[in-house]
Amino acid sequence: MSRAGDSPPDFLAVARQLELLSVDACAALAAESQATGLAPRELALRQGVLNPTQIDVVETLCRPREAIPGYEIVGVIGRGGMGVVYRARQLALDRFVALKTVLLSQLADHTALRRFEQEATLAARLSHPNIVAAYDFGKHQGRLYFAMELVAGEDADKRTRRSAGLDEPLAWAIVRQVAAGLAHAHKLGVIHRDIKPSNVLLVEPPAGFPLPAGVPLVKIADFGLARLAEDSDRTQLTSANAALGSPHYMAPEQWERSDIDHRADIYALGATAWHLLIGQAPLAELPLTQLIAHKVRGQVPDVRRERPHISEVSAELIRDMMAVDPRRRPADYAELLRRIDRLGLAGIAPAGGLLAASAPTADFAAGETWPAIRRRASRRWVLAGAALLAGMIAVGGVAWLWPDSSPGQPDLVVAGRAGNLFDGLAIDEWRPQSGGWSPARNADRADVLQGTGVVRRAISLPDAEGKSTPVPYYRLTLFVQLHEATAAEVHFDLAAPSSKAERQVVRLTSAGSQLGRRAGDAGELSRLGPVLPFELPATAVHVVVVERHTGGWWVTVDEQSLGGRRGLFADPAPEFRLRAEGGPAWFSDVSVEELLPPAGPAPLGR
Amino acid sequence: MKLRDGLMLAALLMLVGCAPERVPYETLVPFVEDAQTNAQVDDAAIGSLSFVDPAGQPVDLAQYRGKKNVVLVVTRGPLGTVPPAERGTMLYKDLCLYCTTQTSGLLNSYPQFQERDAEVIVVFPVLKSADGAELATFREAIPPLPTDQPTLALVLDVELKAVEKLGIRDNLSKPATYILNKAGQTRFAYVGRTIADRPSVQAILNQLDAINGAGK
């Protein structure tokens, strides 16, 4: 039970400044706090005058440098059902960013958090002029945070409200840029899931930026965040469609299942085009239940019924983009961009470089010819990309740019077999390769595996008949303490059960955790990705989780995503190895859980 | 905000006072050595909790009231990362509930708890499959220890009833530690933020020393 004073002394003042509480309400809470000894924040929560998100906002502004490490909160940009967006200063780089925070308590479960981290990692890899850049994400003291490029402008929703709809060329020029950004994301395996006018930011293009006169530069916001809304408490869904994302723009299939593809974004972009032309969302007047029924039956009114002057080719493209059956929509962004360009409207396409930068050539049909100006522009972007790549290599971040490293989406779930690989006493099934390994007790008198050098362990568990067999797809969990070691590593994805085999590595040092690659137990380490600093002290118990899915590997350390990697080998050795440098490290809670496809209990064959 | 409003608030806020800061992360040494209470608990709710021992017999916390301090350690569950919505038919083999870092630390320190007149109850939240097979598996995973000496109690929270009452539901449960004095009052409550965020054994012993000292 918290007592008076749990809140900093300016809690009520900040709540008042934010106009969350009236003067009278503040006075009443302060007086009641004095009388009861309960903190104002707790009284406000109990009495329902502030909700948990509002309280979080107030507390964050009361301690602007403590809420998120490395950032100073300087103001509130906006509040939504899923979280708050702050204007913040990134202290290390002395730059202003948009910092979105979401209370962990709003997520349904741990799976939601893991999924967010995996998708946020992917979103952070996106680099495109039409996508708001993601800088950083993480979890701290009960909040998820997501630092993004701070964009000065207005969103397309506000823009269309001012003008009751845009003219066709401008609307399609905006839609085209969104499509270009989505095409880039799709190429990297990312879909947005919540395309809508309020996530389409319109900014003044930089001087010399190749856009037709009067056309704003589009920035797509909230990549990687839509999952949060989907994974939040579904009980918040109301008939007033207040909480669950954007039902007016969502594809019909998105209501029924989560395994949607890029064509759901194309549907939402069609609905966004509808909005841009008309000035409001399709079926805006309908309550949620009727809205769903209409969308599932494809009963979305034609834009020409609302605005007869809109061209038939525009209406036809929107109808196709919003087809109930995804197979009837434009199959990919290449086709969509071509169809937009063929609308015959002047001033849609960029004058030069943006198109080449926007449209991933791999998505386009072979043999398509491009104007020379676009090829020249493409070379400019290639040069810019090369410079960026060189910079990333310099800081060890190449893994996040290298397309072939992408593992695709995690596609399996925990099911099947599970068991501990270390019982605290015996190490019969552990095979020391170098150094010394033995059971020991850590400073907390817990049983641990202590060692220096390298030890290997098969990833196998008894089947239903009690016969120990390899686990092909699995979640491997370990507690790791550096103890006296300068570095502790988990080796996985080995080409062969050999001390010289190529393998991937999770490396923990006092600086943090990092993905890498080694050619052999003691081969040279290639660092693949930046060091992720620990939230906990380096001396703490750190939790390393390595998951092998069909498309590759996913790694978390202390429940923070370290990233995903495509597998080096189609059939890696069914083992992992531990390595400790500079002194003994401690390992414990070593367990394996089998991963299987969500739909069927039958194990995957090898 | 108008000046009058500001002055009124300032005057009222001066009466509210300040509170101790949260435990900073920098002090979280493996496990948390100076853990401080970070959760609210209703004494009546925690006092009414009941569990099942490996033999299927009920273990009520109320039975310790007036007799012993109780250290109630709720683990995140056996391999506790299985979200209920994604569970298939799990086949638990080579499962060792004594082998977790936390449980082994408590087990190895049991004499120190005895010296402090405390019973240690380690709770494993489990979801029961329709045929009860998993429950039987978990019971098998808690064999009698090869000792005639008293030791800590490993119990099951079937269907997460206690976890729900304590408000610590996660995939199965957040790791949580509670210390009740002999009067059944909760004197310490710590709910971890991550699966490795737990009070150290020494931190728990320190809390017991404080409780026993206060009772003298």
Side-chain angles (χ1 to χ4, degrees), chain A residues 1 5-6 9 23 34 110-111 416-420 423 441 444-447 475 537 539 559 588-589 591 593, chain B residues 5 13 15 18-19 22 28 30 40 79 81 83 86 90-91 93-94 96 99-101 104 108-109 170-171 195 201:
Chain A
M1 187 73 66
D6 267 358
V23 174
Q34 173 63 15
H110 243 60
T111 307
R417 295 172 285 171
N420 300 97
D423 66 2
R441 285 189 180 173
D444 212 30
R445 306 184 188 100
D447 297 328
R475 174 188 293 169
T539 52
E559 301 181 24
S588 57
D589 273 23
S591 66
E593 297 157 280
Chain B
D5 300 341
L13 292 168
L15 300 173
C18 299
R22 294 176 189 165
L28 302 186
Q40 300 176 28
L79 301 181
T81 51
E86 296 183 349
M90 298 298 293
L91 176 63
K93 297 286 185 180
D94 283 355
C96 174
C99 301
T100 68
T101 313
S104 66
N108 296 333
S109 301
D170 199 12
N171 291 333
I195 60 176
V201 168

Side-chain angles (χ1 to χ4, degrees), chain A residues 84-357:
Chain A
V84 184
V85 182
Y86 297 99
R87 181 182 171 86
R89 190 164 64 91
Q90 190 175 11
L91 299 173
L93 299 175
D94 193 23
R95 66 175 173 184
F96 286 100
V97 301
L99 191 66
K100 184 158 190 164
T101 67
V102 176
L103 289 175
L104 286 172
S105 57
Q106 290 191 291
L107 298 184
D109 56 32
H110 243 60
T111 307
L113 175 59
R114 197 180 308 277
R115 206 151 44 203
F116 161 75
E117 289 173 340
Q118 290 165 347
E119 296 218 350
T121 302
L122 286 172
R125 298 177 58 226
L126 304 179
S127 176
H128 191 276
N130 294 126
I131 296 175
V132 172
Y135 294 146
D136 182 21
F137 73 92
K139 182 172 58 127
H140 182 68
Q141 296 189 343
R143 293 184 192 89
L144 289 173
Y145 64 90
F146 198 97
M148 298 169 284
E149 174 188 7
L150 186 62
V151 174
E154 66 177 344
D155 66 53
D157 184 36
K158 290 195 179 102
R159 173 74 177 82
T160 51
R161 283 178 199 281
R162 279 199 289 113
S163 57
L166 308 177
D167 61 48
E168 279 183 83
L170 179 56
W172 284 111
I174 292 170
V175 170
R176 193 187 192 290
Q177 293 182 65
V178 177
L182 292 174
H184 169 78
H186 179 227
K187 187 183 177 188
L188 295 179
V190 182
I191 55 176
H192 190 287
R193 295 173 182 272
D194 195 19
I195 288 294
K196 57 184 176 182
S198 60
N199 276 337
V200 175
L201 309 182
L202 309 177
V203 302
E204 187 73 22
F209 203 87
L211 281 172
V215 173
L217 175 62
V218 166
K219 296 271 187 182
I220 308 170
D222 275 6
F223 257 110
L225 298 180
R227 272 283 194 184
L228 281 179
E230 291 185 8
D231 288 333
S232 65
D233 186 354
R234 291 261 176 177
T235 59
Q236 292 178 33
L237 184 61
T238 69
S239 59
N241 353 337
L244 182 67
S246 321
H248 291 96
Y249 307 95
M250 283 168 57
E253 66 268 24
Q254 217 166 335
W255 291 106
E256 299 166 353
R257 59 178 202 265
S258 59
D259 60 331
I260 55 172
D261 61 21
H262 66 284
R263 291 173 296 183
D265 279 352
I266 288 179
Y267 180 100
L269 185 53
T272 299
W274 202 103
H275 182 130
L276 296 179
L277 289 166
I278 306 302
Q280 65 174 16
L283 303 168
E285 69 287 359
L286 294 183
L288 183 64
T289 50
Q290 290 182 42
L291 172 69
I292 296 171
H294 275 69
K295 292 184 74 162
V296 169
R297 291 197 290 264
Q299 296 171 334
V300 177
D302 194 291
V303 284
R304 280 164 59 84
R305 198 180 81 184
E306 306 289 329
R307 299 279 194 281
H309 66 273
I310 291 174
S311 66
E312 174 54 28
V313 284
S314 281
E316 184 184 9
L317 180 50
I318 291 177
R319 277 197 299 273
D320 289 349
M321 292 169 75
M322 296 184 70
V324 174
D325 184 348
R327 292 169 300 182
R328 297 178 66 85
R329 298 173 201 156
D332 53 33
Y333 291 105
E335 180 185 339
L336 177 59
L337 288 165
R338 271 199 303 273
R339 289 193 58 181
I340 294 173
D341 288 345
R342 290 171 185 165
L343 288 174
L345 301 170
I348 294 181
L354 181 63
L355 181 63

